[in-house]
Amino acid sequence: MAMFKKILIANRGEIATRIIWACRELGIQTVAIHSEADRDSLHVRFADESICIGPAPSAKSYLNIPAVISAAEITNVDAIHPGYGFLAENAYFAEVCEACNIKFIGPRADTIQLMGDKSEARAAMKAAGIPITPGFDGVIEDEEQAARVAAEIGYPVIIKASAGGGGRGMRIVPDHEGLFNALSAAQQEAQLAFGNPSVYIEKYIETARHIEIQVLGDQYGNIVHLGERECSIQRRHQKLIEESPSPALTREMRQEMGELAVRACREIGYVNAGTMEFLLDQDNRFYFMEMNTRIQVEHPVTELVTNTDLVREQILIAAGERLEFDQEDIVFSGHAIECRINAESPDTHIPSPGLITAMNLPGGPGVRVDTAAYPGWVVPPHYDSLIAKLIVHHRNRDMAIARMRRALEAYIIEGIETSVRLHQRILAEPDFVEGKLSTRFMERFNKSHNRPEPESQQAAQFAGE
Ligand code: MV4
């Protein structure tokens, strides 16, 4: 297969510009698509061509498959990069692309389909010999079965939507008393959010770390892992801070998890970039949770510690190139931390769209900012509030934290509220500095800082990545 001449980027914001940078370095022409609300976006300005595909609401623009495909046909592109969110994990969209002879830059449609059904993904991973959380291998049919399964695995349990992921449609159930209410609530939420009420039940691992392994596979069966990212600091299942390596993993654990991830990907014939999410419990046992079949928001921390360009690799793999490196060629170096900068209140997390009146980006050694924000830009209210990612790299974790602190001090954004202050407070926490992270970190942080909102229990609504 020949290298792509032109790629359409089916996304917006920082990831759209990130994909354009990779294309420019590869000498590939770019087409930006945008909604009416995104006319003045940076990705539109930096792309070689741009097309308006609809009004502001995503359902009418970035999620509108006929509009996206029409734009691709009109501009005669060879491939589409979906970024994250929007159509990135839509198996039907991947199928339509292939049917229109446009390469979808991602895994095969059947892989996206399999991993999109979380209970099927669990079963597939179990069959591949990957440890999964104790639970029932299948969807729950009725209350009686739910009660039997929950009693068998022991409380607390967690109910998850089969079509969910990223925490949507989840319910934590402390004891039998709350089971039936949680079951019907989860089923209703799943029906509403995904048009599919199927749920499954697992043992709830109360104090765990969220650790994910990055993988890359080419079309010829070569698969490598690029180590882990620790993403335990989340609120309402939206990650706030990610880092690599995890303070909790030894070299041996990294190798074991990495080899397991590679084996699982080999088993399902995984192609392109992917991420396997695991929970690591306090006894250092780890369990597969789900697999994300897209480039993730937090991919830069992996890029910095492995000296790779994951978006470039995605494009080369989709174009039919062989992986340029083996597992032995991947050298892990130093420590990287990412802070997600959202246009929102640092206290209430209420979105804060509007005009950015002034802005200073941090720079200097080991500092990277992935963003599409600029002074004079109006952050539209219609989309995810992520406006930038601040990523630092240094020789060790303590030095990376110091570097992040000084970069946050220099990150000035005026006119809107941002999460910069929240990150400064988190980076001042002794538990963070000591690497004592868990999925309960923000719950405890909120309590000790007298902040509202319980974090872990039945977080009702949040935007998906
Ligand atoms: C879990 C879990 C504990 N036990 N599953 C959250 C997102 C999705 N990928 C799965 N998630 C979790 N699944 C079992 N069996 C803990 C999480 C979890 C979490 C839970 C509550 C509050 C914050 C959390 C952050 C990361 C992961």
Side-chain angles (χ1 to χ4, degrees):
M1 196 191 286
M3 183 47 60
F4 304 130
K5 289 196 177 66
K6 205 196 268 192
I7 292 176
L8 180 140
I9 296 131
N11 217 302
R12 63 181 299 282
E14 66 85 18
I15 194 64
T17 53
R18 168 71 187 86
I19 296 163
I20 293 173
W21 306 149
C23 290
R24 292 213 65 79
E25 290 180 20
L26 285 165
I28 298 170
Q29 296 280 300
T30 53
V31 177
I33 56 169
H34 65 91
S35 69
E36 286 168 6
D38 276 339
R39 286 193 189 286
D40 298 323
S41 287
L42 216 52
H43 79 283
V44 174
R45 295 204 209 170
F46 280 110
D48 295 297
E49 295 170 63
S50 65
I51 297 195
C52 181
I53 56 156
S58 333
K60 298 199 162 163
S61 48
Y62 299 104
L63 289 171
N64 182 345
I65 295 177
V68 175
I69 295 289
S70 300
E73 298 281 12
I74 290 165
T75 52
N76 199 24
V77 300
D78 309 300
I80 295 181
H81 197 306
Y84 52 70
F86 296 126
L87 299 170
E89 289 172 285
N90 185 316
Y92 172 71
F93 177 65
E95 243 171 56
V96 173
C97 288
E98 297 303 311
C100 296
N101 218 4
I102 301 164
K103 186 71 191 168
F104 175 83
I105 301 175
R108 288 189 316 272
D110 65 290
T111 305
I112 301 173
Q113 183 76 39
L114 173 69
M115 292 304 153
D117 185 316
K118 306 299 163 184
S119 80
E120 265 191 57
R122 224 175 106 80
M125 288 304 149
K126 191 180 177 185
I130 308 298
I132 57 175
T133 38
F136 174 70
D137 305 321
V139 299
I140 295 298
E141 302 292 343
D142 51 39
E143 288 190 343
E144 189 225 326
Q145 187 194 25
R148 192 154 25 82
V149 167
E152 243 167 59
I153 57 184
Y155 289 91
V157 298
I158 183 164
I159 305 176
K160 297 183 178 181
S162 297
R168 284 178 291 177
M170 275 181 24
R171 281 292 186 286
I172 298 158
V173 188
D175 48 44
H176 178 72
E177 196 166 343
L179 181 66
F180 296 156
N181 273 338
L183 179 65
S184 67
Q187 286 170 331
Q188 267 174 47
E189 202 174 301
Q191 173 66 41
L192 217 73
F194 318 110
N196 176 357
S198 300
V199 298
Y200 60 105
I201 297 185
E202 292 177 7
K203 174 90 184 162
Y204 180 58
I205 316 286
E206 288 184 79
T207 306
R209 290 170 186 256
H210 176 131
I211 291 176
E212 53 189 36
I213 305 283
Q214 176 71 53
V215 296
L216 279 176
D218 68 17
Q219 295 181 33
Y220 312 97
N222 303 302
I223 300 174
V224 297
H225 74 83
L226 293 103
E228 80 283 9
R229 294 183 287 260
E230 167 140 13
C231 313
S232 298
I233 302 191
Q234 314 187 1
R235 73 165 285 281
R236 299 200 158 206
H237 305 293
Q238 291 288 63
K239 294 164 187 164
L240 289 170
I241 299 180
E242 305 96 344
E243 61 182 294
S244 186
S246 163
L249 289 201
T250 62
R251 254 185 46 157
E252 290 70 33
M253 289 161 78
R254 173 170 311 107
Q255 191 178 336
E256 189 188 351
M257 288 178 84
E259 280 172 7
L260 269 175
V262 167
R263 198 213 297 163
C265 288
R266 197 157 280 139
E267 203 81 24
I268 58 173
Y270 196 88
V271 177
N272 216 290
T275 300
M276 296 185 64
E277 291 187 359
F278 293 91
L279 283 173
L280 179 72
D281 74 11
Q282 287 173 305
D283 302 318
N284 281 343
R285 285 175 299 215
F286 54 87
Y287 311 94
F288 170 82
M289 278 199 296
E290 55 190 72
M291 180 163 197
N292 302 319
T293 56
R294 58 171 190 270
I295 190 79
Q296 289 193 250
V297 174
E298 60 272 27
H299 74 276
V301 295
T302 299
E303 294 185 325
L304 294 180
V305 296
T306 59
N307 193 26
T308 54
D309 178 338
L310 292 171
V311 178
R312 170 195 167 90
E313 297 307 325
Q314 285 192 290
I315 295 168
L316 295 177
I317 288 165
E321 299 281 326
R322 286 175 179 277
L323 274 183
E324 297 170 301
F325 38 78
D326 313 319
Q327 192 64 56
E328 299 78 65
D329 298 326
I330 296 166
V331 182
F332 299 99
S333 161
H335 199 100
I337 305 175
E338 170 176 282
C339 287
R340 295 190 185 193
I341 312 296
N342 292 308
E344 65 180 32
S345 156
D347 303 305
T348 62
H349 300 281
I350 291 168
S352 178
L355 173 69
I356 297 178
T357 53
M359 189 167 90
N360 181 64
L361 294 185
V367 175
R368 167 174 168 180
V369 183
D370 282 19
T371 188
Y374 60 90
W377 181 51
V378 179
V379 182
H382 314 280
Y383 313 105
D384 189 280
S385 62
L386 182 81
I387 56 162
K389 304 182 307 204
L390 172 57
I391 314 108
V392 300
H393 186 219
H394 216 324
R395 287 210 304 279
N396 63 44
R397 192 170 186 272
D398 288 341
M399 293 163 86
I401 291 173
R403 187 159 269 178
M404 181 61 88
R405 286 188 182 135
R406 71 94 174 149
L408 284 166
E409 277 171 20
Y411 205 156
I412 315 253
I413 305 173
E414 287 175 2
I416 59 166
E417 290 197 277
T418 75
S419 38
V420 167
R421 275 292 304 153
L422 173 64
H423 288 301
Q424 289 176 320
R425 288 184 211 133
I426 295 173
L427 263 66
E429 283 293 305
D431 276 358
F432 181 85
V433 174
E434 288 161 36
K436 291 183 186 157
L437 311 179
S438 90
T439 53
R440 295 189 126 174
F441 183 93
M442 285 308 292
E443 191 183 312
R444 289 175 49 187
F445 177 87
N446 287 340
K447 269 195 200 122
S448 64
H449 289 250
N450 294 314
R451 286 155 49 92
E453 294 187 78
E455 293 295 330
S456 73
Q457 283 286 335
Q458 5 274 222
Q461 280 145 10
F462 33 82
E465 188 174 282

